[in-house]
């Protein structure tokens, strides 16, 4: 494969809810980079890399399984054990010149060791104000130390960038995004104007930043509205909501099924408390809801201001009810504008921004900038009819890949359906044959009786 290796030191496991880490990893893999994505928790066994998608491997880093990446620090012994796993991995999966992408302050000492051992570069990709989490240890010092040592810092919001930029050598805002092709089918749902029971939908973590009293107020003020809440309820006080007949907890829904579920929503809602944590949050779900063509109503999160007027902001329960009613009454043509906005915030667009930033960091470090190219330039773009712009090229490639993947899925589905129909045909034939044989046997009973009597009676001479 082309391109430099990319080693993620992530903030979530690969199998967790699909968010920025997995989406960026997939972008790197599609662009020809070998991507390595270890588990969040350390383990006792060998790395044993396993491919999870084309170009992406997961594996285990050796270390103390009891260490909590959100509450503990990684000491010198932990770094040494984890590095032994990486050197073992590098024997068959070379990591020379790798970009190390640390997404959690916990990884700072290991990220530094990786950069030195593999002569690579270090990116601190910051998605949250980690020191603002109530269930995390105070990691403000490690957060700033990682920003100082990194060759490049990308922050998902203006607030995070303002916090980290003074400590970093090179930094930029890199917002979250969405996969428009994934959520596009939800926008093709049958438009339901003035539905009898409108559905307000939310998906994501339902944690201590989720404003359960606000949702309870919406449910009480408009009992004819149904409120669907998708996600785990870790550290959320939602007992009172469970008693509401029009509030439904659907639990975690796989990323592959989100478009199908979202196709039932009439309005997407983001009912977050406004505090230090959420003030620095750029919710992935808002871009996904827009890509699905949904009107979105949110509490007054500062980072959503750039999406106005496509995202309505509410500051009180009464205000929230009014904004939802406005969304329900709007003309269906507004959906197309939201989908266009969602497409402009695709993960592919974010990846192009990121690769340009990484190329700049490589140049500053005296490395060839060719290591982080999204896709190779074709010999003659004009003859392909797709122009010279690299963004257009990558969008064409990704769109074709998505179409190919969809075609493969359809072919696999048709093959399964054909096999099922064939099994049913055989079963029906066997049953029909049994029924037919039984009926013929019963129909021939009088003839057999006549033959039997003829055999016993002597024929006249």
């Amino acid at each position: 494969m082309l391109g430099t290796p990319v080693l993620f030191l992530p903030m979530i496991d690969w199998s967790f809810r699909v968010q920025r880490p997995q989406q960026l990893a997939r972008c790197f893999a599609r662009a020809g980079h070998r991507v390595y994505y270890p588990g969040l928790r350390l383990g006792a066994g060998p790395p044993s890399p396993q491919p999870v998608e084309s170009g992406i491997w997961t594996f285990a880093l050796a270390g103390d399984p009891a260490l909590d990446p959100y509450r503990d620090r990684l000491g010198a012994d932990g770094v040494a054990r984890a590095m032994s796993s990486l050197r073992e991995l590098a024997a068959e999966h070379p990591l020379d010149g790798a970009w190390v992408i640390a997404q959690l302050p916990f990884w700072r000492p290991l990220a530094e060791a990786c950069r030195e051992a593999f002569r690579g570069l270090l990116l601190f990709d910051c998605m949250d104000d980690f020191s603002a989490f109530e269930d995390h240890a105070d990691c403000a010092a490690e957060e700033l130390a990682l920003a100082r040592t990194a060759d490049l810092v990308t922050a998902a919001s203006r607030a995070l960038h303002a916090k980290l930029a003074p400590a970093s050598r090179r930094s930029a805002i890199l917002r979250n995004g969405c996969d428009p092709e994934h959520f596009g089918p939800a926008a093709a749902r049958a438009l339901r104007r003035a539905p009898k029971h409108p559905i307000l939908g939310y998906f994501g973590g339902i944690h201590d930043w989720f404003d359960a009293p606000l949702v309870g107020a919406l449910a009480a003020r408009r009992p004819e509205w149904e409120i669907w809440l998708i996600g785990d309820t870790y550290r959320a006080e939602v007992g009172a909501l469970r008693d509401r007949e029009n509030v439904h907890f659907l639990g975690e829904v796989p990323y592959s099924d989100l478009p199908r579920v979202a196709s039932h929503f009439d309005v997407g809602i983001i009912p977050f408390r406004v505090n230090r944590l959420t003030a620095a949050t750029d919710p992935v779900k808002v871009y996904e809801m827009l890509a699905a063509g949904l009107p979105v109503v949110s509490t007054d999160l500062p980072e959503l201001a750039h999406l106005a007027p496509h995202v309505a902001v509410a500051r009180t329960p009464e205000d929230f009810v009014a904004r939802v009613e406005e969304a329900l009454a709007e003309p269906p043509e507004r959906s197309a504008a939201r989908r266009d906005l969602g497409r402009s915030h695709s993960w592919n667009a974010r990846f192009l921004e990121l690769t340009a930033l990484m190329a700049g960091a490589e140049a500053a470090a005296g490395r060839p900038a060719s290591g982080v190219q999204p896709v190779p330039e074709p010999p003659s773009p004009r003859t392909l009819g797709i122009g010279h712009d690299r963004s257009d090229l990558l969008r064409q490639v990704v769109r074709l890949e998505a179409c190919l993947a969809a075609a493969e899925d359809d072919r696999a589905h048709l093959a399964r359906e054909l096999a099922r129909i064939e099994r049913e045909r055989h079963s029906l034939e066997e049953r029909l044959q049994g029924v037919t044989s039984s009926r013929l046997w019963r129909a021939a009973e009088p003839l057999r009786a006549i033959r039997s009597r003829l055999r016993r009676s002597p024929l006249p001479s």
Side-chain angles (χ1 to χ4, degrees):
M1 293 179 68
L2 301 174
T4 56
V6 177
L7 172 63
F8 277 79
L9 297 176
M11 67 173 293
I12 55 175
D13 280 315
W14 179 263
S15 58
F16 190 64
R17 187 183 308 120
V18 176
Q19 297 177 72
R20 178 183 179 113
Q22 299 99 320
Q23 298 285 13
L24 290 180
R26 286 167 173 162
C27 286
F28 276 108
R30 284 198 296 264
H33 298 268
R34 290 178 288 113
V35 178
Y36 300 95
Y37 195 106
L40 183 62
R41 294 277 183 161
L42 304 175
S48 303
Q50 301 292 326
V52 289
E53 291 185 11
S54 178
I56 304 175
W57 287 264
T58 60
F59 61 99
L61 287 169
D64 182 2
L67 276 180
D68 186 334
Y70 302 119
R71 296 180 179 85
D72 299 323
R73 296 247 180 129
L74 188 61
D77 180 64
V79 171
R81 293 178 66 183
M83 283 302 301
S84 69
S85 297
L86 289 168
R87 290 191 179 93
E88 185 177 343
L89 173 74
E92 294 188 5
H93 295 259
L95 295 174
D96 293 336
W99 266 97
V100 181
I101 301 180
Q103 295 177 318
L104 196 63
F106 170 81
W107 297 116
R108 196 262 316 160
L110 178 61
E112 293 178 341
C114 289
R115 175 175 56 185
E116 181 179 356
F118 303 118
R119 300 180 300 281
L121 293 175
L122 171 56
L123 164 64
F124 176 22
D125 183 38
C126 184
M127 289 163 273
D128 287 299
D129 188 348
F130 299 109
S131 58
F133 281 94
E134 292 184 6
D135 60 337
H136 289 198
D138 182 10
C139 61
E142 281 294 279
E143 202 172 40
L144 290 177
L146 182 53
R148 280 192 292 269
T149 191
D151 299 285
L152 173 64
V153 174
T154 50
S157 68
R158 292 172 300 172
L160 292 174
H161 184 253
K163 176 183 179 180
L164 299 175
S168 62
R169 285 176 276 172
R170 301 177 67 87
S171 65
I173 297 173
L174 186 74
R175 294 191 180 277
N176 287 319
C178 65
D179 181 351
E181 285 78 15
H182 185 72
F183 283 89
R189 67 194 184 285
L191 292 172
R192 297 181 295 165
R193 294 298 88 200
K196 188 174 182 180
H197 297 287
I199 296 175
L200 282 56
Y202 169 89
F203 50 79
I206 305 172
H207 299 175
D208 47 11
W209 58 80
F210 185 87
D211 196 340
L214 170 60
V215 175
L218 298 180
R221 283 169 168 77
R222 294 293 184 273
E224 71 275 16
W225 291 356
E226 291 188 26
I227 302 176
W228 292 11
L229 304 177
I230 298 169
D232 70 273
T233 56
Y234 172 72
R235 291 176 61 88
E237 297 180 3
V238 294
L241 288 181
R242 295 188 185 278
D243 295 331
R244 296 275 179 189
E245 291 186 0
N246 58 334
V247 178
H248 309 283
F249 288 86
L250 277 64
E252 283 288 341
V253 170
Y255 181 70
S256 58
D257 290 340
L258 270 183
R260 176 180 56 81
V261 180
S263 70
H264 295 279
F265 296 175
D266 295 293
V267 179
I269 59 172
I270 304 179
F272 283 0
R273 302 177 187 274
V274 181
N275 54 30
R276 179 184 159 202
L277 175 65
T278 60
T281 297
D282 184 41
V284 173
K285 60 185 65 57
V286 70
Y287 302 109
E288 294 174 336
M289 289 175 177
L290 291 171
L294 290 168
V296 182
V297 180
S298 171
T299 47
D300 192 8
L301 302 180
E303 294 299 328
L304 299 186
H306 71 106
L307 297 174
H310 298 283
V311 174
V313 169
R315 295 176 177 82
T316 66
E318 295 78 14
D319 200 15
F320 212 109
V321 169
R323 300 292 83 76
V324 170
E325 288 178 335
E326 290 171 2
L328 290 171
E330 72 176 22
E333 304 84 63
R334 292 282 301 276
S335 178
R338 287 190 293 266
R339 292 177 62 193
D340 288 342
L341 181 61
R343 279 192 288 268
S344 71
H345 291 279
S346 70
W347 285 117
N348 295 326
R350 297 290 184 258
F351 181 63
L352 288 168
E353 296 176 43
L354 178 58
T355 55
L357 294 168
M358 294 170 75
E362 288 183 324
R367 284 177 49 170
S370 59
V372 198
Q373 295 299 320
V375 290
E377 291 284 4
S380 177
R382 188 176 284 110
T383 62
L384 299 177
I386 54 178
H388 288 279
D389 185 76
R390 185 181 296 276
S391 300
D392 287 339
L393 288 172
L394 186 58
R395 280 193 289 271
Q396 292 279 356
V397 169
V398 173
R399 190 177 298 113
L400 289 172
E401 287 181 345
C403 291
L404 180 61
E408 289 293 328
D409 290 343
D410 288 344
R411 187 173 69 172
H413 174 72
L414 289 173
R416 289 193 297 270
E417 284 296 298
L418 182 60
R420 181 183 62 80
I421 292 170
E422 190 67 16
R423 288 194 300 272
E424 290 183 357
R425 186 178 68 81
H426 283 300
S427 175
L428 287 171
E429 285 181 349
E430 291 175 357
R431 290 166 57 191
L432 181 60
Q433 184 177 5
V435 169
T436 302
S437 299
S438 176
R439 287 178 177 173
L440 287 174
W441 180 265
R442 288 196 299 271
E445 185 66 33
L447 181 59
R448 288 196 299 274
I450 293 171
R451 285 179 177 173
S452 178
R453 288 199 299 271
L454 288 174
R455 290 193 189 98
R456 290 195 299 270
S457 302
L459 292 173
S461 53

